[in-house]
Amino acid sequence: APAASSLRTGRMTIDDVVTRTGILFAVLVTVGAVAWTLELGGEALMLGFFGGLILGMVNAFSKTVKPVLAIAYAAFQGLALGTISHMYNEMYDGIVSQAILVTISAFAGMLFAYKSGRIRVTPKFTKVLTTALIGYLVLGLVSFVAFMFTKTSIYNSGFGLLIASGGMVLAAFFLILDFDSIQSGIAAGAPESESWRAAFGLMVTIVWLYMEVLRVLSILRGND
């Protein structure tokens, strides 16, 4: 007999997560393509960024992720990514396709590393990543404050490439935590509705990874 689906068990399955993730990325790509085509400017970028930030916080701290809010988050992210990707591509022709290829490769590599057992999630592994993330966020805040007062950023210094590369690697390793969270949820018999939370978390990390890759490539292209 075929395996029981979530409709029969009420529990989350890997198919649920894949389907929900596909829906969110379909929305993101569609809105992003429209934003790219219309060549929207800074206002659209800020709207997408802050809209996505607000909905991201709501979804992250909500007891249950509502599908409509997750989809709205994907739409706002699509607006922001489509706009900023077009800006980057205007400065560095072909950089977006390169960033997409690197992001997909990193995702595939991390998925293989996790499924093959080459990278295992342990309390120490999680603690190290969490500490690194806090440090990275503090560094970003310092850079923002410094830019507001001095109009210069540490990302434009000689450490820019190193910092951006560190962010890219950190985002890639956070994919491992997402994979483990999904597998743990399925093993624990999490409700089917949790597949939206899993898809949302995966999207957040992939978007973060893409932005870091885009920044690294732009620094490398700018130094040519």
Side-chain angles (χ1 to χ4, degrees), residues 125-159:
F125 178 83
T126 303
K127 183 178 180 180
V128 169
L129 285 187
T130 302
T131 302
L133 176 62
I134 293 174
Y136 187 72
L137 292 176
V138 170
L139 188 61
L141 180 60
V142 170
S143 174
F144 177 76
V145 173
F147 178 78
M148 293 297 293
F149 286 97
T150 66
K151 301 303 179 183
T152 60
S153 172
I154 58 176
Y155 293 105
N156 295 326
S157 66
F159 295 103

Side-chain angles (χ1 to χ4, degrees), residues 82-169:
T83 303
I84 197 170
S85 294
H86 185 271
M87 293 177 177
Y88 269 101
N89 209 63
E90 286 290 301
M91 293 185 290
Y92 310 105
D93 184 48
I95 192 173
V96 171
S97 58
Q98 294 174 348
I100 293 174
L101 180 60
V102 173
T103 301
I104 293 174
S105 299
F107 178 88
M110 286 299 171
L111 181 59
F112 173 78
Y114 176 74
K115 295 295 291 183
S116 64
R118 285 173 169 76
I119 300 179
R120 299 183 182 275
V121 176
T122 63
K124 183 177 180 180
F125 178 83
T126 303
K127 183 178 180 180
V128 169
L129 285 187
T130 302
T131 302
L133 176 62
I134 293 174
Y136 187 72
L137 292 176
V138 170
L139 188 61
L141 180 60
V142 170
S143 174
F144 177 76
V145 173
F147 178 78
M148 293 297 293
F149 286 97
T150 66
K151 301 303 179 183
T152 60
S153 172
I154 58 176
Y155 293 105
N156 295 326
S157 66
F159 295 103
L161 180 59
L162 179 62
I163 296 171
S165 299
M168 181 178 67
V169 172

Side-chain angles (χ1 to χ4, degrees), residues 41-53 76 79-80 83 87 144:
E43 293 182 357
L45 176 61
M46 297 305 292
L47 175 61
F49 175 77
F50 284 109
L53 178 62
F76 275 110
L79 177 62
T83 303
M87 293 177 177
F144 177 76

Side-chain angles (χ1 to χ4, degrees), residues 25-41 44-45 47 74-87:
F25 272 98
V27 173
L28 183 147
V29 171
T30 299
V31 176
V34 172
W36 176 296
T37 303
L38 296 179
E39 299 183 14
L40 303 178
L45 176 61
L47 175 61
F76 275 110
Q77 286 292 68
L79 177 62
L81 290 185
T83 303
I84 197 170
S85 294
H86 185 271
M87 293 177 177

